[in-house]
Amino acid sequence: MGAWILDNRRFLYLFAFALALRLAYSLPLAEFVPINDMAVYRQLAENMLAGRGYISSLEPYFFSLRPPGYPFFLMAVFTGLGYSPVAVAAVQSLLGALTCTLVQLIGETCMRARVGLI
């Protein structure tokens, strides 16, 4: 385990930097707003968790206008971490930081280490 960490420090450093940057930006701004796309996605997740189905009173004439991926993600966060905008922002920040390390890995694998870093 220790050798793996020493060999892959660049991934850990990038992950830590990307996570810190995302958390510093997103946590102070984390809130559930009553209008816009986030309100519809939140309401879809709440309705599915309550057993009312994939419906939203904010868009009453459309039963499946929006793709279900993000409401299912919200359901998982609400179920695991509670109904909190900070929890949603933290999980999204974590996934974003992991994406940065994945892009770095792809760059290093396809080209070289400098490309992955850039």
Side-chain angles (χ1 to χ4, degrees):
M1 180 76 176
W4 182 88
I5 290 175
L6 289 176
D7 290 342
N8 294 296
R9 282 183 298 200
R10 64 194 179 282
F11 295 112
L12 295 174
Y13 292 149
L14 176 67
F15 174 76
F17 177 73
L19 182 62
L21 196 64
R22 282 167 171 69
L23 289 174
Y25 177 78
S26 66
L27 290 185
L29 302 173
E31 66 175 309
F32 289 139
V33 293
I35 57 171
N36 77 10
D37 288 346
M38 181 59 194
V40 175
Y41 284 124
R42 181 178 48 92
Q43 191 176 66
L44 288 169
E46 290 170 354
N47 285 335
M48 287 190 293
L49 278 172
R52 291 188 291 268
Y54 193 74
I55 58 171
S56 169
S57 64
L58 298 174
E59 293 176 339
Y61 301 108
F62 303 104
F63 292 106
S64 61
L65 173 66
R66 301 195 181 261
Y70 193 65
F72 283 119
F73 167 77
L74 289 176
M75 285 175 54
V77 172
F78 293 162
T79 302
L81 301 174
Y83 185 77
S84 166
V86 172
V88 173
V91 172
Q92 287 182 172
S93 296
L94 179 69
L95 292 174
L98 286 171
T99 301
C100 289
T101 56
L102 180 62
V103 169
Q104 181 183 14
L105 179 63
I106 291 170
E108 286 187 12
T109 302
C110 293
M111 300 296 284
R112 56 182 187 261
R114 181 174 288 166
V115 172
L117 182 61
I118 291 171

